[in-house]
Amino acid sequence: MSLGKKIFKSAAFTETIAFLIALYIRIVRRTCRFEIRRGDIAASFWNVDKPFVAATWHGQNLILPPFWHNWREWCILVSKHGDGELVDSVMRHLGVSTIRGAGVPKGEERSHKHKGKGGAGALRAMVRALGENISIGLTADLPPGPARRAGEGIVMLARLSGRPIVPVAATTSARIKLNNWDNFTINLPFSKGALVWGEPIYVERDATPEEIEAARQSVEDGLNAVAAEAERLVGRAPPLQDAGAVAR
């Protein structure tokens, strides 16, 4: 292995990049003027030590960790593979705890592609954390997509833990949207920001397959609604596919 490759793969290089990313996120948070809608929904849980599951869309949550750190104890799900090490280091610099693991798309639980990603172990860890009054943050959609389609994993977490799912979205008026599967968004500093909470979604422990699917659709609709509202608050029209799911 060449010297350059060794440097790029070194723990020191990862830590340096993680520190710079965390610093950038703090700068965006501090320089943007954020309008928070329905923050009382989250506060109603935090103020009485009732943990919940905060759901976001993949690639649309860069600016959220500083908000987690300002409230009650929090943990987010981070993949064991790919860029998981970097994300884990970034969260540590931001003061946010993590659970390492990965969701597995329905029907691919036994495939070689997803073997060893720790989905079952992560699910158990998240249920345990919720039982210890620690709220959980995770994305509802899973790589490699399709984006903005909620999986069943987050619904199963709510069913097993007895804790509600609360959709949340944040954005800024100035941003860079990448051309990848989840349109990963880089929020830019010195702009207008919006953070929007949705209504809690509960899943009964004895939910039928039909009720689980209905809850999954509610998560999807709720996320599209808060995302569309956040877009409007910073002066952008919501995407066409979200137009019917706008929260009022």
Side-chain angles (χ1 to χ4, degrees):
M1 182 182 293
S2 67
L3 178 60
K5 288 184 178 180
K6 286 183 179 179
I7 292 174
F8 283 119
K9 288 182 176 293
S10 69
F13 180 79
T14 299
E15 278 298 304
T16 300
I17 296 301
F19 171 79
L20 293 174
I21 293 174
L23 177 61
Y24 176 79
I25 292 172
R26 286 195 181 99
I27 291 172
V28 174
R29 171 68 183 93
R30 291 174 182 174
T31 61
C32 291
R33 306 178 308 279
F34 272 87
E35 180 176 351
I36 299 178
R37 286 288 178 91
R38 293 190 296 278
D40 58 310
I41 291 174
S44 66
F45 289 102
W46 266 303
N47 291 342
V48 290
D49 291 321
K50 288 187 176 181
F52 62 96
V53 180
T56 65
W57 283 136
H58 208 285
Q60 311 302 307
N61 50 8
L62 178 68
I63 196 58
L64 285 171
F67 290 99
W68 301 160
H69 182 61
N70 290 339
W71 285 320
R72 296 276 183 177
E73 190 170 0
W74 196 264
C75 223
I76 69 164
L77 180 65
V78 176
S79 172
K80 283 187 175 181
H81 297 274
D83 58 0
E85 290 298 326
L86 177 61
V87 174
D88 186 65
S89 295
V90 171
M91 292 302 107
R92 180 160 38 78
H93 284 293
L94 291 171
V96 179
S97 299
T98 62
I99 290 175
R100 302 300 301 275
V104 179
K106 183 180 179 182
E108 298 186 11
E109 294 88 347
R110 301 182 184 277
S111 73
H112 175 74
K113 180 179 179 181
H114 295 283
K115 186 178 180 181
K117 286 198 174 183
L123 179 61
R124 289 192 295 269
M126 287 188 289
V127 171
R128 185 165 57 249
L130 287 163
E132 297 171 354
N133 286 332
I134 300 172
S135 292
I136 298 293
L138 73 162
T139 58
D141 50 347
L142 299 170
R148 293 201 171 197
R149 186 188 189 283
E152 283 188 5
I154 193 169
V155 176
M156 298 309 294
L157 174 59
R159 183 179 71 83
L160 292 171
S161 67
R163 303 311 306 158
I165 301 165
V166 183
V168 59
T171 191
T172 51
S173 56
R175 65 180 182 178
I176 297 173
K177 185 180 286 189
L178 303 185
N179 186 26
N180 59 346
W181 78 269
D182 61 358
N183 290 134
F184 185 89
T185 297
I186 301 172
N187 304 105
L188 299 178
F190 304 104
S191 59
K192 183 178 181 181
L195 174 69
V196 181
W197 292 94
E199 295 294 330
I201 299 164
Y202 289 86
V203 184
E204 297 294 333
R205 292 182 186 273
D206 59 352
T208 65
E210 292 76 18
E211 290 170 334
I212 289 173
E213 169 56 24
R216 187 204 66 76
Q217 188 62 56
S218 293
V219 172
E220 194 169 296
D221 292 343
L223 278 170
N224 284 336
V226 294
E229 184 170 352
E231 291 288 293
R232 288 202 318 275
L233 289 174
V234 299
R236 282 192 299 268
L240 291 177
Q241 64 267 29
D242 297 343
V246 174
R248 298 294 182 185

